[in-house]
Amino acid sequence: QSALTQPASVSGSPGQSITISCTGTSSDVGGYNYVSWYQQHPGKAPKVMIYEVSNRPSGVSNRFSGSKSGNTASLTISGLQAADEADYYCSSYTSHNDLDVVFGGGTKLTVL
Amino acid sequence: QVQLVESGGGVVQPGRSLRLSCAASGFRFSGYAMHWVRQAPGKGLERVAVVSYDGRQKYYVDSVKDRFTISRDNSKNTLYLQIDSLRPEDTALFFCARIPKNGDQHYWGQGTLVTVSS
């Protein structure tokens, strides 16, 4: 039940692109395509931005994209905007059972 | 539209118990597994418990196994979390959430705050 590993913080200037990594194991990120990414603004509930590794819910900007290689998933945000400043969490289903989800420790994105 | 509304939080003394509730609406509650996720002040998300759609399977993070009990009443479209022997480190915002394996229908409530303090 170890948390997935994310960098504590990333930053970028408006208009730039950033990538947040999420490293797990073959029992979670590497073994399944059930990786999601959430955006959380202070005092708010998390909002799904990417599901099943690389799919975007309707209404989420195409500036957000997801990918996976081996045991590491990544979230890329292009054309950074001030409103993107938030905490981002990855999550993955695991092999422990059919219901278990593990989260990453979260990454604080600062738009300079 | 889908709504998840948590309640039952508050300020409680260490060692006491609390029952959190999550009222669901706008979807077929009985068809989905449901999660409780907590967030300590300034910290990240931690899934503490999950229950299968029919209530038969329940899983907990190791740190709460002996003190937290998740349950559901599908006839009332309500999810519960019983927390016993509360500790100061249980202070957190508790979210109920539907986090499906497939699809984009992820839903979270706004959370209920539990503060454990003497």
Side-chain angles (χ1 to χ4, degrees):
Chain A
Q1 295 176 337
S2 299
L4 307 176
T5 301
Q6 297 180 232
S9 63
V10 298
S11 62
S13 299
Q16 288 186 331
S17 295
I18 63 94
T19 297
I20 300 172
S21 62
C22 169
T23 301
T25 69
S26 58
S27 295
D28 39 63
V29 174
Y32 301 92
N33 287 328
Y34 299 128
V35 176
S36 300
W37 287 93
Y38 296 93
Q39 176 192 66
Q40 187 183 34
H41 287 108
K44 299 294 187 181
K47 172 188 175 184
V48 64
M49 305 303 283
I50 296 289
Y51 66 98
E52 294 177 43
V53 175
S54 60
N55 294 304
R56 242 185 346 266
S58 61
V60 172
S61 170
N62 58 9
R63 297 184 299 105
F64 291 82
S65 62
S67 63
K68 190 183 82 167
S69 177
N71 294 336
T72 298
S74 298
L75 172 72
T76 297
I77 308 174
S78 59
L80 271 178
Q81 300 177 0
D84 299 332
E85 185 163 298
D87 294 323
Y88 290 85
Y89 295 89
C90 62
S91 74
S92 175
Y93 270 79
T94 81
S95 63
H96 298 128
N97 54 67
D98 205 37
L99 303 178
D100 230 346
V101 171
V102 62
F103 288 97
T107 299
K108 169 66 178 176
L109 168 61
T110 301
V111 180
L112 302 171
Chain B
Q1 77 279 21
V2 171
Q3 275 197 306
L4 296 172
V5 180
E6 302 93 337
S7 60
V11 180
V12 293
Q13 293 179 328
R16 303 296 292 265
S17 297
L18 208 57
R19 188 174 84 155
L20 308 182
S21 300
C22 170
S25 60
F27 69 101
R28 188 172 62 90
F29 179 72
S30 60
Y32 295 89
M34 294 295 295
H35 296 77
W36 282 103
V37 178
R38 69 179 173 184
Q39 186 169 37
K43 301 296 185 182
L45 303 174
E46 180 183 40
R47 196 276 292 155
V48 294
V50 59
V51 61
S52 61
Y53 71 98
D54 58 1
R56 293 184 179 185
Q57 299 176 71
K58 302 174 184 180
Y59 299 101
Y60 303 90
V61 68
D62 286 344
S63 58
V64 308
K65 265 180 187 173
D66 298 329
R67 299 186 300 115
F68 287 24
T69 303
I70 189 171
S71 62
R72 65 191 297 159
D73 186 337
N74 285 342
S75 69
K76 295 182 178 179
N77 290 342
T78 303
L79 177 71
Y80 301 102
L81 186 68
Q82 176 73 32
I83 309 176
D84 297 323
S85 303
L86 277 156
R87 304 168 179 171
E89 55 266 35
D90 293 323
T91 293
L93 187 60
F94 282 76
F95 295 100
C96 73
R98 186 181 111 181
I99 306 174
K101 189 175 282 188
N102 303 104
D104 64 348
Q105 304 299 299
H106 296 227
Y107 298 110
W108 294 66
Q110 289 304 306
T112 186
L113 182 62
V114 173
T115 303
V116 184
S117 172
S118 54

